[in-house]
Amino acid sequence: MNKSKDFLRRIVEEDLNSGKYQEIVTRFPPEPNGFPHIGHAKSISINFGIARDYKGHCNLRMDDTNPTKEDTKYVEALKNAVQWLGFEWNKRVHFTSDYFPKLYDYAVELIKMDKAYVDSLSEDEIRQYRGTVTTAGERSKYAKRSVEENLNLFEQMKNGKFKDGEHVLRAKIDMSASNMKMRDPLLYRIRHAHHFRAGDAWSIYPMYDFAHCLSDYIEGVTHSICTLEFENNRDIYDWVLDTLKLNPPRPYQYEFARLNINYTVMSKRKLLELVEGGVVSGWDDPRMPTIAGYKRRGYTPESILNFCEQIGIAKANSMVDVSQLEFSIRDDLNQKVPRVMCVINPLKITIVNYEGSEEIDASYYPHDVPKEGERKLPFSKEIYIDRDDFMENPVKGYFRLTPMQSVRLKYAYIITCKEVIKDTNDTIIEIKAEYHPNSKSGADTSGIKVKSAIQWVEAKTAKKVEVRLYDRLFKDEIPQGVENINPESLKIIKNALIEPAVITDKPDVRFQFEREGYFYADPILYKDTAPVFNKIVGLKDSWTKKKKTDKKPANTQTKKVQIDGEATPMNADEQALFDKYSSELKLNNEVANTLARDKTLSNFYEDALSTLNSPVNIANLVVNEVARELKQKEISELKFSAKQISELVKMVDDEIISTKIAKQVFVEMSKNGENPKQIVQTKGLVQISDPAKILPIIDKIIANNPDNVQKFKAGNSKLLGFFVGQVLKNTGGKANPKVVNELIIKQLQ
Ligand code: ATP
Ligand code: MG
């Protein structure tokens, strides 16, 4: 490792030095409900990487506790991804479902200790009894059941005597715990569903919080590394293992920030939508951020691992610029792959003064002296160049072929345009040119000055290839979902022409097409008789150039504290701020951490706080929206003030607008500095809380979705989210979600 160690490796080293563990055991525990994506690659590189660095081992464990969504094809995809990235799991693949009998026994043990009970409240009641962040919950009356009754009921649950949802098994912890997750969390639920491995043997399935810690323990895991969303679950993790008084050593959970990349969605659920909706050709569509997609696109495992290492392991969530991933692959291929010539948009050139044919030597690695390898380029009277490399009426600064300007054919001769031939539509169909016999590359005595050398292919020997050009799948920097697909994310070019040496029957090859980018023979479609190449990445970061608003060069490293290799310890001032924010102002650790480590941001925050006492809501807006602006701008360039931020938050606090609308107002405000109240007024964004206005919309949605209504009434309470979402959508996000929630429940009763 060339970098200073990340916080996880430091913990691991301490634990080895102190003798807490003899061997380091990590695990990568995906749920097999979709193909793994680049976020998983990060988790893989951390877990397998740590095991490798400290000579321990890493288990690949399928976390298959949710019978309805999982499938063996996803298991295979996960195995392939790990192997492709170059890692080996210890012995065999593990499955949480293999531990179902053991987990059941542990649950029975908890019941016997009077630390777990069968609850018979409904899902809604359980939610109501749980209380809120500010009020304690209330324990279910069923918690008083005797150990015998619990054992009996739990066994019957297992034996399929009850319907889904009739009972659950809960831990008996503390209904007034400040960590809401500790308020008697669910351990088991009834699910009459077929499991892809366990078959129909089980009618109950363990919840993540129960299964995960115990699976770790059973496998002898030492460091259970997961993403920040699980921070609050750590208390349950510890509670289960400690309460069962298991033989040491036991595993401990550590959290790191999940990887987010702009212009990319990274949730298996959303990716599944793209696949099922036919937006992409499959999980391995080269535009997908899946490992299978990158592999098919032509990314190398090294480039992905380098990327994971460069972005580091941090404790605060952040957004990584997708250009950084693109940089990694470019950087990896630059030295490795041969350079060849492909003409993507061919324009015919007839060299009127050339007769016969010849073969020209050309290096595959023209810029890297040590690397050997060359091929022969056929040359004759008829060649093709790219249409973009000729301009009849050139713009200023155009260095390629024009009627007035000669150009070099790479590795070959200088040519000069003599005549431009057009069809009846005025489209150029051919150029008549002359070549300069004494201008051959490497032996040029012509004295003619040219400003560039362009790629070309010889007409008779060139092969036709299909070239697939990719762009970002989503138009938006932070894509919401399927709506924002970039229609230009795939361009298929059927009639590109390539030099003959490139085409072989061995498809697993990458090339740099000179002046175009890096390309990979599509592993599925490629045939030597009908070659297809995927563009992996361009030669330069063309996207940053396109975004005119970006004043600074793409700052891919963004904020040091957020994504650099390790979370450096806070200095005393930062620590004091952090303590104040987390304990006095009750900000969550992540938000407090981000603010405390960033002076500009915390000053701004405190400014806003001085005019409105709403610490949590202001902090959220500052850490998310304002921080994003500050990645691209200096504080002096911001169009809005801290005071305006408090005004905006105030409207949310007063329920004049929803948080969703607040984001929209923020975008406006950051563009032109307009007063937030003004924006809300002129755009008519005031939240709608009047039932008389909301009810007709709800009724319409209910009428239009009879199936979902039925399912909801039959007990699928998750559909509440669907209905609320529909109403919000129908009102452009303006309906008051709380009111909508209540009204829908009323209407559907
Ligand atoms: P998704 O929402 O995409 O399904 P998940 O977290 O539910 O992701 P799992 O299959 O449960 O996916 O995750 C397997 C492992 O990969 C977990 O340890 C998880 O924390 C990690 N992981 C998933 N997404 C990311 C990410 N974006 N960055 C880092 N690690 C991730
Ligand atoms: Mg998941």
Side-chain angles (χ1 to χ4, degrees), residues 307-324:
F307 168 72
C308 292
E309 194 177 313
Q310 271 156 20
I311 55 176
I313 306 174
K315 282 202 218 185
N317 280 327
S318 65
M319 183 70 79
V320 173
D321 200 307
V322 66
S323 61
Q324 207 169 337

Side-chain angles (χ1 to χ4, degrees), residues 138-208:
E138 196 187 323
R139 186 159 273 161
S140 159
K141 62 178 185 220
Y142 300 106
K144 294 207 185 76
R145 280 174 170 147
S146 69
V147 168
E148 287 67 36
E149 192 184 352
N150 280 321
L151 287 173
N152 191 354
L153 280 171
F154 189 48
E155 183 168 5
Q156 290 187 54
M157 281 166 65
K158 178 183 82 156
N159 293 338
K161 295 278 158 50
F162 303 114
K163 289 202 286 291
D164 285 12
E166 242 182 293
H167 306 287
V168 290
L169 185 73
R170 298 179 74 171
K172 198 183 260 184
I173 308 181
D174 179 3
M175 288 306 289
S176 55
S178 61
N179 178 357
M180 299 274 291
K181 299 247 175 191
M182 291 292 273
R183 297 187 181 176
D184 291 11
L186 270 55
L187 304 180
Y188 268 92
R189 61 185 166 173
I190 301 174
R191 270 287 171 97
H192 290 277
H194 183 82
H195 187 281
F196 77 106
R197 295 186 79 243
D200 299 308
W202 293 87
S203 303
I204 52 172
Y205 289 92
M207 305 298 288
Y208 171 88

Side-chain angles (χ1 to χ4, degrees), residues 702 705-720 723 744-749:
I702 288 180
N705 294 282
D707 287 0
N708 281 345
V709 171
Q710 216 182 352
K711 283 188 209 154
F712 180 82
K713 288 189 171 165
N716 186 346
S717 55
K718 283 209 186 113
L719 284 169
L720 183 58
F723 287 110
I744 289 174
I745 291 172
K746 223 188 306 156
Q747 292 304 92
L748 285 176
Q749 253 160 15

Side-chain angles (χ1 to χ4, degrees), residues 27-44 46-47 61 63 78 208 212 224-230 256-261 265-271 317:
R27 84 285 171 268
F28 170 59
E31 182 183 354
N33 62 349
F35 273 52
H37 48 64
I38 183 82
H40 292 107
K42 172 152 183 184
S43 182
I44 290 171
I46 291 175
N47 282 296
R61 181 199 312 148
D63 195 11
L78 284 155
Y208 171 88
H212 204 86
S224 181
I225 300 164
C226 63
T227 39
L228 276 174
E229 323 79 272
F230 293 98
F256 69 98
R258 68 191 287 124
L259 169 64
N260 298 303
I261 304 183
V265 300
M266 230 188 287
S267 132
K268 283 177 282 179
R269 186 178 54 77
K270 286 192 187 156
L271 296 175
N317 280 327

Side-chain angles (χ1 to χ4, degrees), residues 499-514:
E499 56 171 282
V502 172
I503 304 303
T504 65
D505 55 2
K506 290 194 221 63
D508 188 18
V509 280
R510 294 177 182 82
F511 293 99
Q512 182 188 122
F513 291 177
E514 297 221 36

